[in-house]
Amino acid sequence: MIVVVLLVFGMLQLTPGDPVQAMVGQYPVPAEFREAIERHYHLNDPFLSRLWQYFANLAHGDLGFSFQMQRPVLGLILERAPRTLMLAASGFLLGIPIGMAVGVLSATSQNPHLDRFWTTTTLVAYAIPGFWLGQLLVILFAMQLGWFPTQGMAPLVSRASGFGWFLERARYLALPAITYAIYEATRVARLMRANVIETLGQGYIVTARAKGLSRPTIIRRHVLRNSSLPVVTIMGYAFGVAMGGAVLIETVFSWPGVGLLLIEAIRARDNQVVVGVVLFVSFAVILMNLIVDLLYCALDPRIRTGS
Amino acid sequence: MNQDIPGPSPTLTSRSEVASARPREALPTSALAVSALLSRLCRTHYGAAGLIILALLVLIGVTAPLLAPFDPTRQVGESLMPPSWTHVMGTDNIGRDLFSLVLYGTRASLAIGFCAALAALVIGGTIGTLAGYRRGLTEAVLMRLAELFQTLPVIIVVLFAIALFGSSFWLLIAAVALAIWPLEARLIYGQFINLREREFVAAAIVADLSTAHIVLREILPNALPPVIVQVALDASLAILIESGLGFLGLSDANMISWGQLLFAAQDFLNAAWWMSVFPGLAICIAIIGLNLLADGLNEVVNPRAVRAAIGLAA
C-alpha cells in the first residue's frame, strides 16, 4: 500500500498542469492571489517535505483537497462509494449465478450442440465492450420502448416514498445493473466452464462414478464446490476493481459513482481527486484480496491449518 | 552418444549439437517455421476463423482510402441521416459519412492494438527475462513491481497515466503498455524459471556459450509459445482499452477511432442509433477475431491441454 502511494505521488510530481490555473479557469491569475494559494496549500515546499506531509495526512484519513470542487477528496469519494457499491453489488448478484449456471450447463451438457451454442454465445458476449452494450440497451429499452429512464440514479424531483420510492430507484438501477450483470456473467461462464471440465477429469470424480452415484449428484456434490473456488478468487478481485466503478458503464448511464467522479476529475485536471480515487481503488482491491483469502479457508478445508 | 538425450557432457561442444539438444516443441524462428505455424493454425477451426477476420481487417485498414466512398473528415451530407444507399451506415452529427469513418477507424484501432501488445511484449519480456535468469535481488524487485501493477485495475492505470500526461497516439500506446506489461513479464518469468533448470541449458553452460547466447538463442525460443497466445489477447485488450478511452473522450482527438465515434454517439442515442451500432459492431468483430486467433494459437502451441479437455468434455 505504501509503495502504491509512493508510485502515485512520484508520478504526480512529473506531470504538467497547474492546480492554481485549473482552479481559476481560463483567466489570467493575479500574482498575489497565486502566492496566497501556494502558501496556503504548501505547493512550493520541497519534494520530500510535501511527501512527508502527504503521508501524515493519509494517516489521518485526509486524501487531499479538491481545488476544483473546493471540498476534501475523501468526502467526495465516500459520498459516491455507496452508489458504486449498490450498482456493483446488484450487477454481481445478478451476474454470478447466471454465469455459473451457464458455465456448468455448457460443460456438463451431453448435447454437443448445446455446449457449442453457449460457448459461441459467451465468446461473442465476451467481445462486446460493456459501455457499447449499455448504449444498445439504452437505445432499445429506454429510447424505443421507454421502459426505463436513460440516465442518472433518481429523478430531479421525487415525491414518492416508501415502496414507491424503492421502485422508482430500481427503475433507474435496472439498465446499468443488467449491463454489469451480463458483463460479469460472461466472464464467470467462461471460467466456470473451463473449471468444471478440469474437475470432471479428476480421479475422485471417477471414484464417485464407480461408487454408483448419479450424474446430477456428482455434479451437485463434487463438481460444483471444487469448480467454484477459482471463481471466488476472480470475483473477489473483480469486486475490488468494481469499487473504482465500472468507469465506462457509469459514464454511459451518468451513474454518479466513483468511476464518474474519476472521469470528471480527469477532465477538470483535478489531480488530487484522481490520486484519491486511484488510492481508494487499490485499497479496495487489497481489502477484497484479504477477504477472498479468508473466504477460501471457509470454503476449502484443505487450507485450514491447526486442528 | 545419442544426440536426442541431452545432458551436460564434455562431448557437446559445437553449436549444432547443443541446438539439436533443444526440446522438440521449440519454436524455430525461420520463415519456414512461421509458415508451418500458420498452416497448423489454419487446421484449427478457431485459428483459421480468427486469422481470416484479422486479415480482412488489416486489408480494410490498409486500403481504407480506396474503399471509403467519402472523405471521412468532410461534411458530405446532411447531419444525422439514417442509413441509405448513398450512406450505407448513415451520417453523424456533423454530416460525415459513417461508413468511411468506420473504415478509417480500423487503422487506429489495429495500430494501437498491435503496437501496444508489441510494446508490452518488449517491456514485459525484458523484465521477465531479467528476473527469471538473474534471480536474487533483481528477481525480487522486478517481480514485486509487476505484482504492484497487477493490483491496480488496468483501466485505472491507463486513466491515471492519461490524466497526468495527456493523450496522443504514442502516449496512448505507452499508457496501455504500462498497464499490461506485467501479464507478459510474469508469463515469461515463469517460463524462464522452468526452462533454466532443464538439461539443454546446462549443456549450453557447459559448452561455454555466452550468457546472451544462452538467454536469447536457447531459452527464449522455448519460452515463447505460450507468450504468443498472450500477445494476441493483449492486442484485443489494447483495442478494448483504446475504444473505452475514445468513448470517454480521452483518446487522441486528431485520430479517427471506433471509440471516439461511440463518444459522439452517446449524445445522439435517441436521434441516431446507427452512430452507436456500427462502430460498436466493428469493435466486436476485431475483438472476436483476436480472441479466436488466441484460442487457435493456444491449441497449436499447447495441444496436450486442449486434447485432454476435449476428451473429458465428451
Side-chain angles (χ1 to χ4, degrees), chain A:
Chain A
M1 192 72 215
I2 290 173
V3 187
V4 173
V5 176
L6 267 180
L7 192 79
V8 165
F9 195 81
M11 276 179 85
L12 189 64
Q13 298 306 315
L14 294 172
T15 59
D18 177 0
V20 184
Q21 188 70 58
M23 198 159 104
V24 178
Q26 301 290 338
Y27 306 100
V29 189
E32 53 284 21
F33 179 67
R34 168 182 287 274
E35 226 172 82
I37 294 284
E38 282 177 350
R39 211 167 332 108
H40 188 222
Y41 296 112
H42 303 282
L43 290 177
N44 280 341
D45 288 5
F47 175 75
L48 277 180
S49 100
R50 269 180 304 150
L51 182 62
W52 173 247
Q53 189 63 41
Y54 194 71
F55 267 110
N57 286 345
L58 276 185
H60 290 112
D62 179 2
L63 278 174
F65 187 81
S66 163
F67 295 108
Q68 193 70 32
M69 315 237 193
Q70 293 292 318
R71 286 182 56 188
V73 173
L74 188 68
L76 277 173
I77 294 178
L78 286 185
E79 177 188 283
R80 295 189 171 222
R83 303 172 189 165
T84 293
L85 187 67
M86 183 162 88
L87 177 58
S90 35
F92 274 73
L93 283 180
L94 212 61
I96 293 179
I98 296 176
M100 286 179 83
V102 169
V104 173
L105 265 182
S106 126
T108 58
S109 165
Q110 310 265 12
N111 178 354
H113 297 296
L114 196 68
D115 181 31
R116 191 162 306 151
F117 168 74
W118 283 118
T119 319
T120 315
T121 311
T122 45
L123 182 81
V124 173
Y126 196 71
I128 296 177
F131 61 94
W132 184 54
L133 182 68
Q135 282 193 337
L136 292 185
L137 291 179
V138 167
I139 291 175
L140 185 62
F141 291 107
M143 302 286 185
Q144 305 292 328
L145 298 173
W147 291 353
F148 301 104
T150 55
Q151 316 204 299
M153 60 175 287
L156 283 176
V157 186
S158 171
R159 286 200 192 78
S161 62
F163 191 63
W165 182 87
F166 177 76
L167 272 185
E168 193 178 76
R169 290 302 168 102
R171 279 188 64 218
Y172 278 87
L173 183 64
L175 283 185
I178 290 172
T179 311
Y180 219 118
I182 294 177
Y183 182 82
E184 294 302 336
T186 47
R187 271 147 194 76
V188 176
R190 273 175 78 108
L191 190 69
M192 198 66 194
R193 177 173 178 276
N195 290 341
V196 170
I197 288 175
E198 203 195 314
T199 313
L200 284 177
Q202 300 290 327
Y204 55 82
I205 301 295
V206 180
T207 312
R209 198 88 182 109
K211 260 192 334 196
L213 290 183
S214 74
R215 205 179 156 82
T217 317
I218 294 178
I219 290 171
R220 212 171 43 242
R221 295 248 309 261
H222 296 275
V223 178
L224 260 185
R225 194 178 173 119
N226 284 298
S227 315
S228 308
L229 283 176
V231 177
V232 173
T233 321
I234 301 286
M235 284 301 113
Y237 177 71
F239 200 76
V241 171
M243 284 306 96
V247 175
L248 296 161
I249 293 180
E250 287 189 359
T251 309
V252 178
F253 295 99
S254 295
W255 185 265
V258 179
L260 201 59
L261 177 70
L262 178 64
I263 298 303
E264 286 162 2
I266 290 176
R267 289 197 179 133
R269 294 208 146 276
D270 196 350
N271 285 342
Q272 295 279 340
V273 179
V274 175
V275 171
V277 172
V278 172
L279 290 182
F280 175 75
V281 175
S282 31
F283 178 71
V285 170
I286 292 170
L287 188 72
M288 277 313 294
N289 282 348
L290 191 72
I291 294 178
V292 165
D293 284 348
L294 293 176
L295 259 182
Y296 242 77
C297 293
L299 287 175
D300 190 344
R302 279 169 301 183
I303 299 177
R304 266 177 236 156
T305 48
S307 57

